[in-house]
Amino acid sequence: MWIGKRMAQMCAVLIATAAYPAAADDVVLKPLNTTQSEVAMVFIQGAGIDPEQYVPLAQAIQTSSQYSLWVGIPKFSLDTPDPLEIAECISRIMDSMHAAGMNTKKFFFAGHSLGGTVLQDYLFDSGETGFAQVLMGSFLERKYRNISYPVATLTIGGELDGLCRVTRIMESFYHSVLKASNRTEAVANFPVLTVAGMSHMQFASGDPPPLVKDRDLRPEITEEQAHTAVASLVNTFVSLHLGDSQSFSKLSKAVEATEAFMQPILTAFELEGYHNFKPPCNSNPPSSACQVGSQWSSRAQEIMGGLKVARLNDTDQFHPVDQINPVHLPHIHNNCSSPTPQCLLQTGTVTQNIYDDLDKFDTAFVPISASEMRVKMSSRQAVMEAAGDKNVNFNTSDGFSICRVINENSYSWALSSASNTTVARFQKHGEPYVMGEDEGPYNAGPLWIWDHLKYKKTVNSSGDDVIDIRSPMMRTPLDFYIKVSAGFHYCKLLSPARAMEWIYVDGLRDHYNIR
Ligand SMILES: *[C@@H]1O[C@H](CO)[C@@H](O)[C@H](O)[C@H]1NC(C)=O
Ligand SMILES: *[C@@H]1O[C@H](CO)[C@@H](O)[C@H](O)[C@H]1NC(C)=O
Ligand SMILES: *[C@@H]1O[C@H](CO)[C@@H](O)[C@H](O)[C@H]1NC(C)=O
Ligand SMILES: *[C@@H]1O[C@H](CO)[C@@H](O)[C@H](O)[C@H]1NC(C)=O
Ligand SMILES: *[C@@H]1O[C@H](CO)[C@@H](O)[C@H](O)[C@H]1NC(C)=O
Ligand SMILES: *[C@@H]1O[C@H](CO)[C@@H](O)[C@H](O)[C@H]1NC(C)=O
Ligand SMILES: *[C@@H]1O[C@H](CO)[C@@H](O)[C@H](O)[C@H]1NC(C)=O
Ligand SMILES: *[C@@H]1O[C@H](CO)[C@@H](O)[C@H](O)[C@H]1NC(C)=O
């Protein structure tokens, strides 16, 4: 799951020189009950987690299955699932199951963590005949988004999975379920589900490997509860695909519950204009395949404008803020003679969302929300004068930390929109964001662009860990000596999605973990 390209290459080298493991390390579980029709599950381990550590989960799945379920868990070299070894592992475990008496061609796959990543690539490339796969603490990668993936896939994510973050599961939910052209088919073939209170390690048992120990969050259900919940979801999905149409309504209810859970996160990422929902239109003509701008930036311009009576209707557009040919600037398109309730200013802002470079590997290891929103807005002075206020003093209107005010708004929006349980957990165990004064003004062109929104871990006066956030800013009065740059106030904004992701995942890691 977490493994990067370099690590994957390293494993490939190690495996090439290592002997194949003895089949004795593989796990084969016979059905608990031989009276029903036989089905088999081949389970691919996560990195560093021994096949034996999946036996309790596998037994929970056997127990709640309406079939006589065989389970095979092959052991990879160094307990690290690898694309070069998976075909051999699967064929070896199938041989072992046949030798032990298995007599069915009906089989499905499951994979945990990195095992899910390697499994989905294998199934895609090999044209393997299993009827379904289950990804646990893992998800179908972005590279399969625009092509129809050939194998029905159930995705299960833990709410408190510190490795396979629940925000990335939300992204899968958005594409697989919410944006599916046919919801019935999506629910049946590509459901994405979450288990409340469950961590990454709870798909397995026993000691977590070092990386999981370091990164995972603290679960709020017992391991047995986690296994029972996962087993029920797996069996519902499997039964549906083996022809038990009654399972559909159960699966559909689970999808609805996940949708309700995801709602605050979905809303936050929509406000941001998350680029993995739809790419920014930038200079391409607006279409249903791209996003014109960020709704959050328009809200920011309203706060920046500070109008008391008159109103403002902003339209944001995504553009790289360092683009100069053509250059993209904020605009106020009309004006009023006085700031009455009838005065409605039409404004335009410009936004560029910045994402973590490592997110392109799509491992869910780093935050997926924008680390900063670079937003070009009209200054408060410019907005107030356009609304009909006369002789607005720039030092008074724009001379304080307005970016900070907007960022406080983003954070409090996230806190008021997250679920109650999430907020209660975060307030008890999480590291709060505190907004510091804006930095700058950085009025010399590129300075503002390349100076990042700062997140600095520090302690507040009561000695508690907090994250101090500061926005580099650029601002110019209406009488600025460069006429084309007059009347602007630019901020590095805290994305409401970043605040939400912090509250659900990353803000918990240092004080709500299993270390
Ligand atoms: C085996 O399955 C049958 C039919 O579902 C059930 O009645 C019986 O209790 C099961 N036996 C065991 C040992 O689970
Ligand atoms: C999927 O298609 C859309 C629209 O053509 C495109 O913008 C997007 O980049 C594609 N996504 C991936 C992951 O290939
Ligand atoms: C959606 O898919 C289901 C199952 O394939 C089908 O019965 C139904 O007619 C489809 N609905 C629409 C609106 O196409
Ligand atoms: C607000 O701006 C949008 C986009 O320019 C426009 O379509 C809409 O009519 C405006 N709304 C009002 C009330 O002026
Ligand atoms: C206000 O708008 C009118 C009409 O578009 C325009 O002629 C005028 O110059 C504007 N006034 C200011 C102060 O921008
Ligand atoms: C605004 O502040 C600057 C720098 O402190 C000062 O030079 C200027 O006179 C002030 N302008 C007004 C209108 O107060
Ligand atoms: C969440 O908490 C708020 C404020 O305490 C309360 O009004 C609301 O009913 C709660 N919502 C749920 C779903 O419990
Ligand atoms: C410091 O942060 C903690 C939360 O981590 C908070 O409870 C406390 O009130 C803060 N102290 C001050 C002085 O802001």
Side-chain angles (χ1 to χ4, degrees):
M1 169 83 299
W2 54 277
I3 206 158
K5 241 188 194 148
R6 205 171 310 136
M7 182 68 181
Q9 281 160 0
M10 196 177 90
C11 292
V13 171
L14 289 173
I15 286 156
T17 55
Y20 279 115
D25 295 322
D26 293 344
V27 168
V28 171
L29 302 177
K30 294 186 177 184
L32 302 176
N33 188 334
T34 53
T35 61
Q36 294 128 313
S37 129
E38 281 189 23
V39 174
M41 169 172 82
V42 173
F43 192 105
I44 308 299
Q45 65 186 139
I49 302 177
D50 193 275
E52 287 287 340
Q53 292 181 267
Y54 292 101
V55 168
L57 173 65
Q59 285 173 335
I61 298 173
Q62 285 183 312
T63 303
S64 77
S65 176
Q66 57 170 310
Y67 303 97
S68 291
L69 183 69
W70 285 83
V71 178
I73 316 175
K75 186 177 172 75
F76 284 71
S77 307
L78 307 169
D79 281 329
T80 303
D82 186 275
L84 299 179
E85 202 186 348
I86 185 168
E88 141 77 20
C89 283
I90 289 174
S91 106
R92 190 180 70 225
I93 203 78
M94 297 291 265
D95 288 350
S96 301
M97 288 195 281
H98 281 126
M102 181 182 79
N103 184 25
T104 180
K105 290 195 163 61
K106 282 185 260 171
F107 58 96
F108 67 97
F109 296 93
H112 177 223
S113 198
L114 180 63
T117 311
V118 172
L119 174 63
Q120 64 185 277
D121 288 346
Y122 169 74
L123 293 182
F124 184 80
D125 295 339
S126 69
E128 183 63 68
T129 52
F131 66 84
Q133 73 174 330
V134 182
L135 303 177
M136 302 178 181
S138 176
F139 48 85
L140 270 187
E141 291 189 26
R142 290 171 189 147
K143 65 186 176 191
Y144 295 123
R145 192 155 290 159
N146 285 347
I147 32 188
S148 64
Y149 190 82
V151 180
T153 302
L154 164 64
T155 302
I156 307 178
E159 176 186 16
L160 294 170
D161 190 323
L163 286 94
C164 174
R165 56 188 57 240
V166 78
T167 49
R168 179 62 185 80
I169 301 295
M170 176 281 305
E171 183 187 321
S172 286
F173 186 87
Y174 175 91
H175 288 286
S176 294
V177 180
L178 275 191
K179 296 297 156 185
S181 53
N182 183 326
R183 171 112 177 184
T184 308
E185 285 182 355
V187 167
N189 297 330
F190 292 95
V192 176
L193 305 173
T194 48
V195 176
M198 184 175 177
S199 69
H200 191 72
M201 191 58 199
Q202 285 188 317
F203 288 102
S205 302
D207 290 338
L211 186 77
V212 176
K213 190 162 187 178
D214 188 49
R215 295 285 291 183
D216 210 1
L217 300 177
R218 197 182 299 170
E220 293 174 351
I221 56 176
T222 64
E223 192 177 291
E224 196 185 336
Q225 286 169 327
H227 291 174
T228 304
V230 170
S232 163
L233 301 176
V234 171
N235 284 321
T236 304
F237 179 68
V238 164
S239 300
L240 179 66
H241 284 271
L242 289 174
D244 174 12
S245 57
Q246 290 181 347
S247 295
F248 182 82
S249 69
K250 203 174 161 197
L251 197 54
S252 184
K253 282 204 187 77
V255 169
E256 278 163 33
T258 298
E259 185 167 2
F261 167 78
M262 291 295 188
Q263 204 54 63
I265 310 177
L266 284 161
T267 307
F269 279 75
E270 295 218 324
L271 274 179
E272 173 188 287
Y274 181 46
H275 75 154
N276 281 311
F277 281 174
K278 279 181 193 177
C281 297
N282 291 331
S283 296
N284 302 318
S287 79
S288 59
C290 65
Q291 302 190 69
V292 171
S294 162
Q295 296 169 54
W296 185 254
S297 299
S298 292
R299 199 173 293 187
Q301 178 67 81
E302 282 177 38
I303 300 169
M304 175 63 75
L307 293 174
K308 301 245 160 25
V309 180
R311 289 162 306 134
L312 174 162
N313 176 38
D314 183 76
T315 305
D316 184 62
Q317 290 189 2
F318 285 124
H319 288 291
V321 296
D322 59 339
Q323 194 173 329
I324 48 171
N325 194 15
V327 67
H328 302 281
L329 298 172
H331 287 289
I332 305 176
H333 299 291
N334 61 336
N335 62 47
C336 308
S337 50
S338 66
T340 62
Q342 285 71 44
C343 172
L344 177 63
L345 295 179
Q346 306 290 344
T347 63
T349 46
V350 179
T351 298
Q352 180 183 18
N353 286 342
I354 302 299
Y355 296 94
D356 195 314
D357 273 346
L358 290 174
D359 184 47
K360 63 173 181 281
F361 295 114
D362 197 15
T363 57
F365 193 67
V366 296
I368 62 169
S369 56
S371 57
E372 70 179 21
M373 302 176 67
R374 300 173 174 172
V375 187
K376 293 181 172 179
M377 288 169 281
S378 295
S379 70
R380 181 169 290 189
Q381 181 195 34
V383 169
M384 291 178 86
E385 294 222 350
D389 282 309
K390 307 284 183 285
N391 302 320
V392 177
N393 182 333
F394 179 74
N395 290 1
T396 316
S397 67
D398 290 77
F400 66 106
S401 295
I402 305 185
C403 306
R404 169 191 186 163
V405 173
I406 299 169
N407 289 342
E408 277 165 350
N409 235 268
S410 178
Y411 184 46
S412 59
W413 176 84
L415 282 171
S416 67
S417 306
S419 84
N420 285 1
T421 353
T422 302
V423 174
R425 177 193 304 121
F426 179 74
Q427 282 174 342
K428 196 153 177 220
H429 305 283
E431 290 171 332
Y433 279 163
V434 289
M435 310 303 156
E437 301 294 333
D438 296 352
E439 299 180 339
Y442 297 113
N443 283 5
L447 283 182
W448 169 79
I449 297 177
W450 304 118
D451 201 356
H452 293 296
L453 179 67
K454 301 196 179 61
Y455 301 80
K456 187 172 168 225
K457 185 160 170 165
T458 177
V459 287
N460 69 8
S461 56
S462 356
D464 291 298
D465 286 346
V466 297
I467 307 296
D468 179 280
I469 297 190
R470 282 167 203 263
S471 169
M473 151 280 288
M474 193 210 88
R475 63 184 173 212
T476 55
L478 283 169
D479 61 3
F480 193 56
Y481 68 100
I482 308 172
K483 210 73 225 123
V484 292
S485 301
F488 298 156
H489 199 143
Y490 295 176
C491 293
K492 292 297 179 70
L493 294 185
L494 168 66
S495 157
R498 175 54 64 107
M500 196 62 93
E501 191 168 33
W502 182 256
I503 291 166
Y504 274 80
V505 182
D506 299 288
L508 299 171
R509 192 167 279 115
D510 280 353
H511 298 286
Y512 202 59
N513 51 39
I514 55 168
R515 276 173 235 156

